mmCIF file with all atom_site columns, all heavy atoms in Angstrom:
data_model
loop_
_atom_site.group_PDB
_atom_site.id
_atom_site.type_symbol
_atom_site.label_atom_id
_atom_site.label_alt_id
_atom_site.label_comp_id
_atom_site.label_asym_id
_atom_site.label_entity_id
_atom_site.label_seq_id
_atom_site.pdbx_PDB_ins_code
_atom_site.Cartn_x
_atom_site.Cartn_y
_atom_site.Cartn_z
_atom_site.occupancy
_atom_site.B_iso_or_equiv
_atom_site.pdbx_formal_charge
_atom_site.auth_seq_id
_atom_site.auth_comp_id
_atom_site.auth_asym_id
_atom_site.auth_atom_id
_atom_site.pdbx_PDB_model_num
ATOM 1   N N   . MET A 1 47 ? 163.491 55.744 64.552 1.00 88.00 ? 47 MET A N   1
ATOM 2   C CA  . MET A 1 47 ? 162.227 55.053 64.832 1.00 88.00 ? 47 MET A CA  1
ATOM 3   C C   . MET A 1 47 ? 161.039 55.855 64.304 1.00 88.00 ? 47 MET A C   1
ATOM 4   O O   . MET A 1 47 ? 160.088 55.289 63.770 1.00 88.00 ? 47 MET A O   1
ATOM 5   C CB  . MET A 1 47 ? 162.071 54.827 66.339 1.00 88.00 ? 47 MET A CB  1
ATOM 6   C CG  . MET A 1 47 ? 162.992 53.785 66.909 1.00 88.00 ? 47 MET A CG  1
ATOM 7   S SD  . MET A 1 47 ? 163.010 53.760 68.718 1.00 88.00 ? 47 MET A SD  1
ATOM 8   C CE  . MET A 1 47 ? 161.359 53.281 69.102 1.00 88.00 ? 47 MET A CE  1
ATOM 9   N N   . LEU A 1 48 ? 161.111 57.184 64.446 1.00 87.00 ? 48 LEU A N   1
ATOM 10  C CA  . LEU A 1 48 ? 160.029 58.025 63.942 1.00 87.00 ? 48 LEU A CA  1
ATOM 11  C C   . LEU A 1 48 ? 159.925 57.969 62.421 1.00 87.00 ? 48 LEU A C   1
ATOM 12  O O   . LEU A 1 48 ? 158.828 58.021 61.862 1.00 87.00 ? 48 LEU A O   1
ATOM 13  C CB  . LEU A 1 48 ? 160.224 59.473 64.389 1.00 87.00 ? 48 LEU A CB  1
ATOM 14  C CG  . LEU A 1 48 ? 159.720 59.827 65.775 1.00 87.00 ? 48 LEU A CG  1
ATOM 15  C CD1 . LEU A 1 48 ? 160.128 61.253 66.130 1.00 87.00 ? 48 LEU A CD1 1
ATOM 16  C CD2 . LEU A 1 48 ? 158.216 59.690 65.852 1.00 87.00 ? 48 LEU A CD2 1
ATOM 17  N N   . GLN A 1 50 ? 160.596 55.453 60.560 1.00 87.00 ? 50 GLN A N   1
ATOM 18  C CA  . GLN A 1 50 ? 160.191 54.129 60.113 1.00 87.00 ? 50 GLN A CA  1
ATOM 19  C C   . GLN A 1 50 ? 158.767 53.772 60.517 1.00 87.00 ? 50 GLN A C   1
ATOM 20  O O   . GLN A 1 50 ? 158.397 52.607 60.509 1.00 87.00 ? 50 GLN A O   1
ATOM 21  C CB  . GLN A 1 50 ? 161.147 53.068 60.654 1.00 87.00 ? 50 GLN A CB  1
ATOM 22  C CG  . GLN A 1 50 ? 162.517 53.120 60.032 1.00 87.00 ? 50 GLN A CG  1
ATOM 23  C CD  . GLN A 1 50 ? 163.415 52.039 60.555 1.00 87.00 ? 50 GLN A CD  1
ATOM 24  O OE1 . GLN A 1 50 ? 163.153 51.432 61.591 1.00 87.00 ? 50 GLN A OE1 1
ATOM 25  N NE2 . GLN A 1 50 ? 164.513 51.783 59.858 1.00 87.00 ? 50 GLN A NE2 1
ATOM 26  N N   . VAL A 1 51 ? 157.962 54.773 60.841 1.00 82.00 ? 51 VAL A N   1
ATOM 27  C CA  . VAL A 1 51 ? 156.579 54.512 61.239 1.00 82.00 ? 51 VAL A CA  1
ATOM 28  C C   . VAL A 1 51 ? 155.818 54.001 60.023 1.00 82.00 ? 51 VAL A C   1
ATOM 29  O O   . VAL A 1 51 ? 155.908 54.552 58.931 1.00 82.00 ? 51 VAL A O   1
ATOM 30  C CB  . VAL A 1 51 ? 155.932 55.795 61.812 1.00 82.00 ? 51 VAL A CB  1
ATOM 31  C CG1 . VAL A 1 51 ? 154.456 55.602 62.037 1.00 82.00 ? 51 VAL A CG1 1
ATOM 32  C CG2 . VAL A 1 51 ? 156.616 56.177 63.099 1.00 82.00 ? 51 VAL A CG2 1
ATOM 33  N N   . SER A 1 52 ? 155.062 52.927 60.209 1.00 79.00 ? 52 SER A N   1
ATOM 34  C CA  . SER A 1 52 ? 154.364 52.286 59.092 1.00 79.00 ? 52 SER A CA  1
ATOM 35  C C   . SER A 1 52 ? 153.059 53.007 58.757 1.00 79.00 ? 52 SER A C   1
ATOM 36  O O   . SER A 1 52 ? 152.632 53.929 59.445 1.00 79.00 ? 52 SER A O   1
ATOM 37  C CB  . SER A 1 52 ? 154.082 50.822 59.444 1.00 79.00 ? 52 SER A CB  1
ATOM 38  O OG  . SER A 1 52 ? 153.187 50.770 60.537 1.00 79.00 ? 52 SER A OG  1
ATOM 39  N N   . GLY A 1 53 ? 152.406 52.541 57.702 1.00 81.00 ? 53 GLY A N   1
ATOM 40  C CA  . GLY A 1 53 ? 151.144 53.136 57.269 1.00 81.00 ? 53 GLY A CA  1
ATOM 41  C C   . GLY A 1 53 ? 149.944 52.597 58.029 1.00 81.00 ? 53 GLY A C   1
ATOM 42  O O   . GLY A 1 53 ? 148.856 53.171 57.968 1.00 81.00 ? 53 GLY A O   1
ATOM 43  N N   . ASP A 1 54 ? 150.089 51.499 58.729 1.00 82.00 ? 54 ASP A N   1
ATOM 44  C CA  . ASP A 1 54 ? 149.009 50.915 59.517 1.00 82.00 ? 54 ASP A CA  1
ATOM 45  C C   . ASP A 1 54 ? 148.722 51.824 60.710 1.00 82.00 ? 54 ASP A C   1
ATOM 46  O O   . ASP A 1 54 ? 149.625 52.102 61.493 1.00 82.00 ? 54 ASP A O   1
ATOM 47  C CB  . ASP A 1 54 ? 149.435 49.521 59.994 1.00 82.00 ? 54 ASP A CB  1
ATOM 48  C CG  . ASP A 1 54 ? 148.424 48.878 60.916 1.00 82.00 ? 54 ASP A CG  1
ATOM 49  O OD1 . ASP A 1 54 ? 147.218 49.041 60.660 1.00 82.00 ? 54 ASP A OD1 1
ATOM 50  O OD2 . ASP A 1 54 ? 148.850 48.212 61.879 1.00 82.00 ? 54 ASP A OD2 1
ATOM 51  N N   . PRO A 1 55 ? 147.481 52.292 60.878 1.00 85.00 ? 55 PRO A N   1
ATOM 52  C CA  . PRO A 1 55 ? 147.203 53.259 61.959 1.00 85.00 ? 55 PRO A CA  1
ATOM 53  C C   . PRO A 1 55 ? 147.509 52.732 63.361 1.00 85.00 ? 55 PRO A C   1
ATOM 54  O O   . PRO A 1 55 ? 148.081 53.437 64.184 1.00 85.00 ? 55 PRO A O   1
ATOM 55  C CB  . PRO A 1 55 ? 145.714 53.545 61.812 1.00 85.00 ? 55 PRO A CB  1
ATOM 56  C CG  . PRO A 1 55 ? 145.375 53.165 60.425 1.00 85.00 ? 55 PRO A CG  1
ATOM 57  C CD  . PRO A 1 55 ? 146.310 52.084 60.034 1.00 85.00 ? 55 PRO A CD  1
ATOM 58  N N   . LYS A 1 56 ? 147.136 51.475 63.625 1.00 85.00 ? 56 LYS A N   1
ATOM 59  C CA  . LYS A 1 56 ? 147.371 50.935 64.969 1.00 85.00 ? 56 LYS A CA  1
ATOM 60  C C   . LYS A 1 56 ? 148.871 50.738 65.240 1.00 85.00 ? 56 LYS A C   1
ATOM 61  O O   . LYS A 1 56 ? 149.377 51.103 66.294 1.00 85.00 ? 56 LYS A O   1
ATOM 62  C CB  . LYS A 1 56 ? 146.624 49.615 65.115 1.00 85.00 ? 56 LYS A CB  1
ATOM 63  C CG  . LYS A 1 56 ? 146.584 49.092 66.524 1.00 85.00 ? 56 LYS A CG  1
ATOM 64  C CD  . LYS A 1 56 ? 145.726 47.849 66.610 1.00 85.00 ? 56 LYS A CD  1
ATOM 65  C CE  . LYS A 1 56 ? 145.601 47.377 68.028 1.00 85.00 ? 56 LYS A CE  1
ATOM 66  N NZ  . LYS A 1 56 ? 144.781 46.181 68.125 1.00 85.00 ? 56 LYS A NZ  1
ATOM 67  N N   . GLY A 1 57 ? 149.573 50.189 64.284 1.00 85.00 ? 57 GLY A N   1
ATOM 68  C CA  . GLY A 1 57 ? 151.013 49.994 64.441 1.00 85.00 ? 57 GLY A CA  1
ATOM 69  C C   . GLY A 1 57 ? 151.763 51.309 64.462 1.00 85.00 ? 57 GLY A C   1
ATOM 70  O O   . GLY A 1 57 ? 152.748 51.463 65.179 1.00 85.00 ? 57 GLY A O   1
ATOM 71  N N   . ALA A 1 58 ? 151.289 52.288 63.668 1.00 87.00 ? 58 ALA A N   1
ATOM 72  C CA  . ALA A 1 58 ? 151.947 53.593 63.638 1.00 87.00 ? 58 ALA A CA  1
ATOM 73  C C   . ALA A 1 58 ? 151.795 54.308 64.967 1.00 87.00 ? 58 ALA A C   1
ATOM 74  O O   . ALA A 1 58 ? 152.724 54.973 65.427 1.00 87.00 ? 58 ALA A O   1
ATOM 75  C CB  . ALA A 1 58 ? 151.367 54.440 62.509 1.00 87.00 ? 58 ALA A CB  1
ATOM 76  N N   . LEU A 1 59 ? 150.618 54.173 65.583 1.00 89.00 ? 59 LEU A N   1
ATOM 77  C CA  . LEU A 1 59 ? 150.405 54.807 66.878 1.00 89.00 ? 59 LEU A CA  1
ATOM 78  C C   . LEU A 1 59 ? 151.317 54.200 67.938 1.00 89.00 ? 59 LEU A C   1
ATOM 79  O O   . LEU A 1 59 ? 151.932 54.913 68.737 1.00 89.00 ? 59 LEU A O   1
ATOM 80  C CB  . LEU A 1 59 ? 148.946 54.676 67.290 1.00 89.00 ? 59 LEU A CB  1
ATOM 81  C CG  . LEU A 1 59 ? 148.545 55.343 68.592 1.00 89.00 ? 59 LEU A CG  1
ATOM 82  C CD1 . LEU A 1 59 ? 148.713 56.853 68.449 1.00 89.00 ? 59 LEU A CD1 1
ATOM 83  C CD2 . LEU A 1 59 ? 147.121 55.016 68.936 1.00 89.00 ? 59 LEU A CD2 1
ATOM 84  N N   . ARG A 1 60 ? 151.450 52.881 67.911 1.00 89.00 ? 60 ARG A N   1
ATOM 85  C CA  . ARG A 1 60 ? 152.301 52.198 68.886 1.00 89.00 ? 60 ARG A CA  1
ATOM 86  C C   . ARG A 1 60 ? 153.776 52.552 68.664 1.00 89.00 ? 60 ARG A C   1
ATOM 87  O O   . ARG A 1 60 ? 154.488 52.927 69.595 1.00 89.00 ? 60 ARG A O   1
ATOM 88  C CB  . ARG A 1 60 ? 152.097 50.693 68.785 1.00 89.00 ? 60 ARG A CB  1
ATOM 89  C CG  . ARG A 1 60 ? 152.862 49.901 69.813 1.00 89.00 ? 60 ARG A CG  1
ATOM 90  C CD  . ARG A 1 60 ? 152.470 48.429 69.818 1.00 89.00 ? 60 ARG A CD  1
ATOM 91  N NE  . ARG A 1 60 ? 152.407 47.847 68.501 1.00 89.00 ? 60 ARG A NE  1
ATOM 92  C CZ  . ARG A 1 60 ? 153.452 47.262 67.886 1.00 89.00 ? 60 ARG A CZ  1
ATOM 93  N NH1 . ARG A 1 60 ? 154.605 47.194 68.500 1.00 89.00 ? 60 ARG A NH1 1
ATOM 94  N NH2 . ARG A 1 60 ? 153.326 46.745 66.693 1.00 89.00 ? 60 ARG A NH2 1
ATOM 95  N N   . LYS A 1 61 ? 154.232 52.449 67.413 1.00 89.00 ? 61 LYS A N   1
ATOM 96  C CA  . LYS A 1 61 ? 155.640 52.741 67.123 1.00 89.00 ? 61 LYS A CA  1
ATOM 97  C C   . LYS A 1 61 ? 155.957 54.223 67.320 1.00 89.00 ? 61 LYS A C   1
ATOM 98  O O   . LYS A 1 61 ? 157.034 54.584 67.793 1.00 89.00 ? 61 LYS A O   1
ATOM 99  C CB  . LYS A 1 61 ? 155.976 52.327 65.697 1.00 89.00 ? 61 LYS A CB  1
ATOM 100 C CG  . LYS A 1 61 ? 156.086 50.832 65.520 1.00 89.00 ? 61 LYS A CG  1
ATOM 101 C CD  . LYS A 1 61 ? 156.505 50.495 64.112 1.00 89.00 ? 61 LYS A CD  1
ATOM 102 C CE  . LYS A 1 61 ? 156.646 49.001 63.947 1.00 89.00 ? 61 LYS A CE  1
ATOM 103 N NZ  . LYS A 1 61 ? 157.085 48.646 62.595 1.00 89.00 ? 61 LYS A NZ  1
ATOM 104 N N   . GLY A 1 62 ? 155.033 55.087 66.955 1.00 88.00 ? 62 GLY A N   1
ATOM 105 C CA  . GLY A 1 62 ? 155.253 56.518 67.131 1.00 88.00 ? 62 GLY A CA  1
ATOM 106 C C   . GLY A 1 62 ? 155.337 56.916 68.587 1.00 88.00 ? 62 GLY A C   1
ATOM 107 O O   . GLY A 1 62 ? 156.162 57.748 68.970 1.00 88.00 ? 62 GLY A O   1
ATOM 108 N N   . SER A 1 63 ? 154.470 56.314 69.406 1.00 90.00 ? 63 SER A N   1
ATOM 109 C CA  . SER A 1 63 ? 154.522 56.648 70.834 1.00 90.00 ? 63 SER A CA  1
ATOM 110 C C   . SER A 1 63 ? 155.796 56.115 71.477 1.00 90.00 ? 63 SER A C   1
ATOM 111 O O   . SER A 1 63 ? 156.371 56.771 72.363 1.00 90.00 ? 63 SER A O   1
ATOM 112 C CB  . SER A 1 63 ? 153.286 56.102 71.551 1.00 90.00 ? 63 SER A CB  1
ATOM 113 O OG  . SER A 1 63 ? 153.247 54.695 71.477 1.00 90.00 ? 63 SER A OG  1
ATOM 114 N N   . MET A 1 64 ? 156.265 54.959 71.049 1.00 91.00 ? 64 MET A N   1
ATOM 115 C CA  . MET A 1 64 ? 157.540 54.447 71.567 1.00 91.00 ? 64 MET A CA  1
ATOM 116 C C   . MET A 1 64 ? 158.689 55.348 71.150 1.00 91.00 ? 64 MET A C   1
ATOM 117 O O   . MET A 1 64 ? 159.602 55.616 71.946 1.00 91.00 ? 64 MET A O   1
ATOM 118 C CB  . MET A 1 64 ? 157.787 53.021 71.068 1.00 91.00 ? 64 MET A CB  1
ATOM 119 C CG  . MET A 1 64 ? 156.992 51.981 71.816 1.00 91.00 ? 64 MET A CG  1
ATOM 120 S SD  . MET A 1 64 ? 157.246 50.297 71.238 1.00 91.00 ? 64 MET A SD  1
ATOM 121 C CE  . MET A 1 64 ? 158.979 50.148 71.147 1.00 91.00 ? 64 MET A CE  1
ATOM 122 N N   . ALA A 1 65 ? 158.652 55.849 69.916 1.00 90.00 ? 65 ALA A N   1
ATOM 123 C CA  . ALA A 1 65 ? 159.718 56.741 69.436 1.00 90.00 ? 65 ALA A CA  1
ATOM 124 C C   . ALA A 1 65 ? 159.701 58.062 70.194 1.00 90.00 ? 65 ALA A C   1
ATOM 125 O O   . ALA A 1 65 ? 160.756 58.579 70.560 1.00 90.00 ? 65 ALA A O   1
ATOM 126 C CB  . ALA A 1 65 ? 159.558 56.978 67.941 1.00 90.00 ? 65 ALA A CB  1
ATOM 127 N N   . LEU A 1 66 ? 158.523 58.601 70.445 1.00 92.00 ? 66 LEU A N   1
ATOM 128 C CA  . LEU A 1 66 ? 158.437 59.849 71.201 1.00 92.00 ? 66 LEU A CA  1
ATOM 129 C C   . LEU A 1 66 ? 158.894 59.661 72.643 1.00 92.00 ? 66 LEU A C   1
ATOM 130 O O   . LEU A 1 66 ? 159.530 60.540 73.218 1.00 92.00 ? 66 LEU A O   1
ATOM 131 C CB  . LEU A 1 66 ? 157.016 60.404 71.165 1.00 92.00 ? 66 LEU A CB  1
ATOM 132 C CG  . LEU A 1 66 ? 156.586 61.009 69.826 1.00 92.00 ? 66 LEU A CG  1
ATOM 133 C CD1 . LEU A 1 66 ? 155.143 61.472 69.894 1.00 92.00 ? 66 LEU A CD1 1
ATOM 134 C CD2 . LEU A 1 66 ? 157.493 62.149 69.439 1.00 92.00 ? 66 LEU A CD2 1
ATOM 135 N N   . GLY A 1 67 ? 158.572 58.528 73.238 1.00 93.00 ? 67 GLY A N   1
ATOM 136 C CA  . GLY A 1 67 ? 159.047 58.225 74.587 1.00 93.00 ? 67 GLY A CA  1
ATOM 137 C C   . GLY A 1 67 ? 160.561 58.104 74.640 1.00 93.00 ? 67 GLY A C   1
ATOM 138 O O   . GLY A 1 67 ? 161.205 58.603 75.565 1.00 93.00 ? 67 GLY A O   1
#
Side-chain angles (χ1 to χ4, degrees):
M47 288 169 64
L48 276 174
Q50 290 182 343
V51 172
S52 65
D54 175 39
K56 191 175 184 180
L59 183 65
R60 184 171 46 90
K61 286 184 179 181
S63 63
M64 282 179 48
L66 287 178

